[in-house]
Amino acid sequence: MSDGDGELEARLVEQEEFEPSDEFVEQANVSDPDIYEEFEENWPDCWERAADLLDWEEEYETVLDDSNEPFYEWFSDGTINASYNCVDRHVENGDKNRVAIKWEGEYGETRTYTYQDLYREVNEFAAALRDMGVEEDEVVTLYMPMVPELPIAMLACARIGAPHSVVFAGFSADALATRMNSADSDYLVTCDGYYRRGDALDHLEKANEGLEGVDHDVEATVVVDRLGDDGFGHELAENQHDWDDLMDEQRGERVEPVERDAEDMLFLMYTSGTTGEPKGVKHTTGGYLAYTAWTSHAVLDLKPEDTYWCSADIGWITGHSYIVYGPLALGTTTVMYEGTPDFPERDRLWDIVEKYAVDVFYTAPTAIRAFMKWGSKFPERRDLSSLRLLGTVGEPINPRAWKWYYKHIGDEECPVVDTWWQTETGGMMITTLPGVKNMKPGSAGPPLPGIDARIVDTEGEEIEPGRAGYLTVNKPWPGMLRTLYKNDERFIDEYWAEYSDEDADEWVYFPEDGAKIDEDGYMTILGRVDDVINVSGHRLGTMEIESAIVGVEGVAEAAVVGGNHEVKGEAVYAYVITEDGYEGDDEMRSRIIEGVEDAIGPIARPEQVVFTPELPKTRSGKIMRRLLEEIANEEELGDTTTLRNPEIVTDIQAKVQGD
Ligand code: WT7
């Protein structure tokens, strides 16, 4: 924990209250305030309500099995298939012609998949995977941009019981290789490229480069042809197959959904932690699907007849849970957009909302801050009156941005849900139920029914309202991660070691966020308390970036911190010591930036690289990151008396301010 309580206190925000309209409450999926009490009294059986949203092959008898804490199991004697629940059952229930996915490409081309279309393509691709030799429980890596083939591939994997590991397309070749190696994945589905602000990007080149770094034999790669004539003319290697060719071969094939145990792995998702090595978060089938369906129903208020749009990328957990699994499990129409919010113009998102008459819209505070900066004239150009509910996720949203969103996008009619959760939690944990609770800008809200989140001090004791402390979750929930892939020990160290009392068998989950609670039980999340930074809602480990920088020739040492950024929330600041004989010049700076892009991807690109002969260190030799953050933010510096080399501080400060 690198933050002191004082610093957390300083991030507290003013509060004010907003009520959902009667009109919203009347139609809300959940509007009975007793739900909180009901869940508490009936815990853990309350979670049957989530599981009831799904069709089980074999009904479960046990809701929660806690015989091996903290390796909790949910609905463990039940069996289920996620693909069946997201696709087949809607077709069987007479909704085959309802739209499942509305896709819009960057140039405005559209593709519409009804549930019947989805059914056909998921089956055909499942058959193709089988033919390539993919067996149950083999991890298939999906390194794909926002094309419809991505959710199709995910659901095809789920159909045959092959867990997927989606790697965000913006990640580098190295990042792909690391994840394929870690997951021992022998199969890759990727894409020739995609469009960004009017340019075709070569994705296959990166994928191929990544494949070169894989330390085992890769059986087969499938390549989606997104670019057509704009493609880069790569020849496919012998074990590389064109998506369309495979689908042609499998035309009309059907694959029985495999009966999966509820606790069988549905997917792996790599995320950043305190150490340099990404963590493979394991989610399982029954609990995850029940939890994402339940929160999509209760929080996003999704109805089958809705058109719903989450503007995240499927390469992150938000897209897994709330573009693909949650909405499709409920039989909703989910919108997918390939491009960026400012292409060709800054009203692109509002253009899409208008065009498809989107009912529910879910985005990130970083996007909202960009919209604010661009001005209200862009949303004003479009008819946004179809909207019923707005959501945000990924980082704290300040009251000013919240109110802008509420007013300029929601016309003061739509409730806003500020949803706190993480890759590890699988789904939303802390937020208002929009049909039940008032909203307080800047505060996510109370924990959802059945979620036992608390704010504690360093001893794990609950603290009084208004004071900054640490967020903990004191009871398990169905959407929780089950472990870190092949690393049970790290799972316990990372999430349970801090606040659990193992001897007393009291297990407490620690998400590594600071927070405070108010008199009404509303929680305000104050940000990470570990060495993880949040750039545009994307989680990056400072250690990962540091090790990429140290890998650059001529770099002796590096320290990376997050500095405040108007739009991104946080931006990467790198303080670098060069080796003897190397200059901290522009050339070095470009090599460092390139090194970070190669190791992780452009999202981790440093905003500033500051060369310094020394880093501020305590007498015990620890880099004082707090100080480096203060310097990045041009704030007044806190205590420097414990430093071994206090004189270096003014020197670094001058460099940052001079830039
Ligand atoms: C971290 C998790 C959940 C999907 C996107 C990010 C921060 C997330 C909020 C929110 C304040 C938030 C936390 C959390 N965070 N939502 N509504 N208010 N902070 O998933 O990459 O796993 O990052 O994002 O710090 O720990 P992730």
Side-chain angles (χ1 to χ4, degrees):
M1 283 180 240
S2 62
D3 280 339
D5 284 357
E7 195 188 330
L8 291 178
E9 238 27 293
R11 287 191 245 165
L12 304 184
V13 289
E14 50 157 318
Q15 291 196 354
E16 237 183 277
E17 223 167 305
F18 293 78
E19 227 178 296
S21 67
D22 292 346
E23 204 187 335
F24 181 86
V25 174
E26 266 158 37
Q27 62 79 58
N29 286 342
V30 176
S31 57
D32 181 359
D34 293 340
I35 188 170
Y36 290 90
E37 223 175 277
E38 272 166 30
F39 267 60
E40 199 173 327
E41 278 166 16
N42 283 320
W43 199 94
D45 293 342
C46 55
W47 289 113
E48 285 177 25
R49 183 139 169 207
D52 279 351
L53 293 169
L54 306 177
D55 283 355
W56 295 78
E57 223 149 322
E58 188 77 54
E59 273 297 328
Y60 59 88
E61 309 244 319
T62 321
V63 173
L64 170 65
D65 176 353
D66 58 3
S67 54
N68 184 22
E69 295 171 289
F71 299 95
Y72 298 95
E73 298 193 339
W74 289 90
F75 317 116
S76 53
D77 44 13
T79 65
I80 188 163
N81 183 285
S83 172
Y84 176 82
N85 272 275
C86 292
V87 188
D88 306 40
R89 64 169 178 159
H90 307 309
V91 172
E92 290 169 9
N93 292 344
D95 290 327
K96 66 178 198 284
N97 290 329
R98 174 176 299 139
V99 175
I101 300 175
K102 269 266 176 217
W103 176 84
E104 171 145 330
E106 193 174 77
Y107 283 110
E109 68 271 52
T110 56
R111 280 199 244 164
T112 300
Y113 293 80
T114 62
Y115 276 95
Q116 176 65 27
D117 296 329
L118 193 60
Y119 173 77
R120 196 185 63 243
E121 300 220 1
V122 166
N123 270 283
E124 288 167 356
F125 195 62
L129 289 173
R130 277 247 174 103
D131 259 16
M132 286 186 321
V134 179
E135 287 179 21
E136 196 173 343
D137 292 319
E138 274 191 291
V139 177
V140 177
T141 302
L142 310 178
Y143 183 44
M144 297 163 87
M146 287 290 281
V147 289
E149 288 84 352
L150 173 53
I152 290 167
M154 290 164 78
L155 293 165
C157 286
R159 195 166 193 87
I160 62 170
H164 52 73
S165 164
V166 178
V167 178
F168 173 56
F171 275 142
S172 68
D174 279 2
L176 170 65
T178 310
R179 285 158 179 75
M180 285 188 77
N181 290 337
S182 164
D184 244 327
S185 174
D186 295 343
Y187 296 90
L188 174 69
V189 183
T190 186
C191 188
D192 63 343
Y194 53 105
Y195 295 97
R196 264 299 172 278
R197 296 202 172 84
D199 292 328
L201 298 191
D202 190 345
H203 189 63
L204 187 53
E205 189 186 359
K206 252 193 343 181
N208 281 334
E209 205 187 309
L211 284 169
E212 280 168 29
V214 176
D215 60 12
H216 53 271
D217 284 340
V218 173
E219 296 290 334
T221 300
V222 180
V223 183
V224 172
D225 178 358
R226 160 73 185 114
L227 297 177
D229 291 344
D230 289 343
F232 293 85
H234 297 289
E235 295 276 335
L236 296 188
E238 203 170 322
N239 65 349
Q240 298 191 314
H241 311 276
D242 174 70
W243 172 287
D244 295 327
D245 289 350
L246 290 181
M247 295 296 264
D248 281 346
E249 279 166 29
Q250 303 295 345
R251 187 104 324 149
E253 285 299 319
R254 295 293 176 261
V255 174
E256 243 339 89
V258 169
E259 188 169 340
R260 296 285 278 168
D261 286 345
E263 282 297 334
D264 281 342
M265 175 158 53
L266 179 60
F267 68 86
L268 265 180
M269 165 117 257
Y270 284 87
T271 188
S272 297
T274 305
T275 69
E277 213 186 310
K279 306 189 275 196
V281 170
K282 174 181 164 183
H283 282 293
T284 59
T285 312
Y288 171 83
L289 198 64
Y291 198 70
T292 52
W294 164 249
T295 44
S296 297
H297 169 83
V299 182
L300 295 174
D301 196 45
L302 296 187
K303 324 263 194 289
E305 54 281 7
D306 279 339
T307 298
Y308 156 75
W309 184 20
C310 164
S311 74
D313 192 293
I314 294 176
W316 308 101
I317 192 73
T318 307
H320 279 54
S321 301
Y322 299 112
I323 296 177
V324 182
Y325 286 112
L328 294 179
L330 297 182
T332 308
T333 299
T334 185
V335 175
M336 267 181 87
Y337 170 50
E338 177 186 42
T340 49
D342 55 353
F343 186 86
E345 290 221 52
R346 289 171 166 180
D347 64 350
R348 183 60 186 273
L349 300 195
W350 319 127
D351 176 33
I352 295 175
V353 169
E354 180 182 70
K355 182 163 158 194
Y356 300 120
V358 170
D359 297 277
V360 177
F361 180 65
Y362 192 33
T363 195
T366 181
I368 298 168
R369 289 192 298 267
F371 305 147
M372 267 172 84
K373 214 174 143 190
W374 298 338
S376 55
K377 68 169 192 264
F378 295 104
E380 273 157 19
R381 278 185 196 166
R382 304 286 170 181
D383 178 3
L384 306 182
S385 60
S386 59
L387 290 169
R388 178 175 87 241
L389 175 72
L390 301 173
T392 107
V393 59
E395 47 174 323
I397 178 163
N398 66 40
R400 209 164 74 84
W402 192 103
K403 286 175 192 165
W404 189 93
Y405 191 37
Y406 183 70
K407 178 161 194 259
H408 295 283
I409 308 303
D411 197 24
E412 302 182 42
E413 296 282 347
C414 307
V416 174
V417 286
D418 173 0
T419 60
W420 177 88
W421 58 292
Q422 310 179 295
T423 304
E424 291 87 343
T425 68
M428 302 160 178
M429 300 285 282
I430 301 175
T431 178
T432 49
L433 282 173
V436 178
K437 293 279 185 187
N438 288 355
M439 302 153 263
K440 300 186 190 184
S443 163
L448 283 173
I451 300 299
D452 183 3
R454 304 181 189 181
I455 315 291
V456 302
D457 61 17
T458 44
E459 305 297 311
E461 296 298 324
E462 273 186 80
I463 60 171
E464 73 214 55
R467 301 260 339 263
Y470 302 96
L471 181 63
T472 60
V473 187
N474 296 47
K475 280 201 192 100
W477 65 99
M480 67 194 296
L481 80 165
R482 298 306 194 262
T483 190
L484 292 177
Y485 191 54
K486 293 190 179 159
N487 206 340
D488 290 346
E489 207 177 312
R490 190 173 173 198
F491 169 66
I492 293 184
D493 285 354
E494 295 258 1
Y495 304 107
W496 306 91
E498 196 82 36
Y499 286 109
S500 299
D501 183 348
E502 292 179 39
D503 299 330
D505 231 6
E506 274 170 22
W507 292 88
V508 175
Y509 174 82
F510 181 44
E512 308 215 67
D513 270 317
K516 63 150 191 166
I517 190 167
D518 73 6
E519 304 285 348
D520 301 326
Y522 279 53
M523 293 178 174
T524 294
I525 311 300
L526 302 168
R528 302 285 303 191
V529 293
D530 56 2
D531 293 327
V532 166
I533 60 178
N534 194 324
V535 179
S536 302
H538 298 148
R539 180 163 148 189
L540 299 169
T542 52
M543 291 269 287
E544 260 172 283
I545 309 176
E546 281 165 13
S547 69
I549 298 179
V550 172
V552 172
E553 194 196 317
V555 172
E557 203 180 340
V560 164
V561 299
N564 299 335
H565 188 279
E566 195 189 345
V567 173
K568 297 179 188 167
E570 283 185 286
V572 175
Y573 277 74
Y575 300 87
V576 177
I577 305 179
T578 54
E579 276 173 13
D580 254 4
Y582 286 88
E583 285 293 317
D585 53 16
D586 284 347
E587 193 248 306
M588 187 73 173
R589 185 170 281 122
S590 327
R591 285 201 292 118
I592 287 171
I593 291 172
E594 211 175 293
V596 173
E597 292 193 351
D598 285 350
I600 304 166
I603 45 163
R605 180 192 293 142
E607 186 82 11
Q608 255 203 54
V609 178
V610 182
F611 293 105
T612 171
E614 277 177 50
L615 291 165
K617 287 191 179 165
T618 60
R619 288 197 186 90
S620 58
K622 234 183 133 227
I623 297 172
M624 218 169 169
R625 288 164 189 284
R626 171 183 59 78
L627 209 59
L628 293 173
E629 279 169 23
E630 286 164 356
I631 295 174
N633 294 332
E634 306 196 5
E635 283 165 3
E636 211 174 305
L637 302 188
D639 187 14
T640 57
T641 52
T642 56
L643 285 183
R644 189 170 62 190
N645 51 351
E647 66 288 346
I648 196 67
V649 173
T650 32
D651 204 60
I652 303 179
Q653 239 179 343
K655 283 195 179 131
V656 172
Q657 291 173 2
D659 265 14

